[in-house]
Amino acid sequence: MWFKKISFILFSFTFTNSIFAQTPNLKNGDLLFINVHCGPMCEAINAVTKGFEGNDFNHVGMVYSNNNQDFYVYEAISKGVVKTPLNDFLNRTDIVYKGSIKEPYEHLIPLAAQFCESQLGVPYDNDFIYDNGKYYCSELLYDAFLAANHNEAFFQLFPMTYKEPDSDQFFPVWMEHFAQQGIEIPEGKPGCNPGGMSLDEKIEMELYKF
């Protein structure tokens, strides 16, 4: 009998710990910042944008769960605005930083998530032009929190640059990209990027261990 009791206790302890081990240390509205490797375009982005503690971030998404068990990430990727299972998102990289919305602004999170949900399927913004009916990653989150905040800016827009640092020359990759898009390079137009977003004082940044 004592063996059965000990076995049950050990099983219960192991099972309970396995549940906690599978529960990510995340909450709704957390922003996940990563640096993906996509060749010259990502290298060009990293060259002119710097994030929290000098890190390179060229992609960001927002965590959300309806039941605290199944976690997803709202993000804008090449196929448009999607809701990606958390593990699929994390499998793209070895290093992730988490940006938690600070307490005074947490009430905006449900409305921001509702906005993202309503934008599922919207095309990716390959033109990188703000307010053109399409979204790149940080642009989606900018508008999500803008809508949640009664159309008052939560994050900031900055003049975008596609030029090499300390130069008047455009990166060749951007010249080729916008030529393919059939538009002028939107140099100086307002926009946002994951690095700049990671520096916002309204979020708390930390390395996310998973």
Side-chain angles (χ1 to χ4, degrees):
M1 178 66 71
W2 63 268
F3 177 77
K4 289 184 179 179
K5 287 183 178 179
I6 292 175
S7 297
F8 177 75
I9 291 171
L10 289 173
F11 172 78
S12 299
F13 178 80
T14 303
F15 179 73
T16 301
N17 277 276
S18 69
I19 292 176
F20 282 107
Q22 292 170 9
T23 303
N25 183 25
L26 294 170
K27 61 181 182 296
N28 287 342
D30 283 346
L31 308 182
L32 299 182
F33 296 85
I34 62 176
N35 182 34
V36 296
H37 302 288
C38 65
M41 185 175 291
C42 285
E43 293 171 5
I45 294 172
N46 292 341
V48 297
T49 64
K50 288 299 175 186
F52 174 73
E53 295 185 342
N55 285 281
D56 290 327
F57 300 127
N58 51 39
H59 187 59
V60 61
M62 186 179 78
V63 172
Y64 203 76
S65 172
N66 289 324
N67 55 18
N68 289 323
Q69 291 181 349
D70 300 317
F71 284 80
Y72 295 89
V73 179
Y74 287 114
E75 59 176 339
I77 57 177
S78 58
K79 60 183 179 182
V81 178
V82 297
K83 186 164 63 173
T84 303
L86 174 63
N87 286 339
D88 291 350
F89 184 94
L90 297 177
N91 283 338
R92 299 177 192 157
T93 183
D94 295 326
I95 300 175
V96 179
Y97 276 79
K98 176 180 71 174
S100 297
I101 305 298
K102 291 183 177 179
E103 192 275 333
Y105 313 103
E106 287 181 343
H107 65 281
L108 300 176
I109 292 170
L111 289 176
Q114 183 178 328
F115 179 90
C116 290
E117 183 75 21
S118 72
Q119 302 303 304
L120 292 176
V122 170
Y124 185 75
D125 187 6
N126 273 310
D127 298 333
F128 297 100
I129 297 176
Y130 178 65
D131 199 23
N132 64 349
K134 299 182 285 187
Y135 284 115
Y136 53 84
C137 64
S138 54
E139 184 182 19
L140 171 67
L141 300 183
Y142 176 90
D143 267 8
F145 282 91
L146 175 71
N149 200 32
H150 305 292
N151 219 34
E152 292 187 14
F154 182 82
F155 293 111
Q156 291 182 274
L157 296 178
F158 298 96
M160 302 277 274
T161 184
Y162 301 89
K163 293 181 178 179
E164 298 178 6
D166 303 317
S167 170
D168 285 330
Q169 301 297 315
F170 290 109
F171 282 97
V173 66
W174 288 127
M175 295 176 65
E176 180 181 350
H177 174 79
F178 288 110
Q180 291 175 349
Q181 294 299 110
I183 62 173
E184 294 184 2
I185 298 177
E187 178 70 17
K189 299 293 184 182
C192 52
N193 61 76
M197 196 169 278
S198 74
L199 299 173
D200 196 285
E201 61 182 11
K202 295 184 289 300
I203 65 176
E204 190 75 34
M205 290 288 294
E206 64 177 316
L207 181 65
Y208 176 58
K209 298 178 182 180
F210 61 98

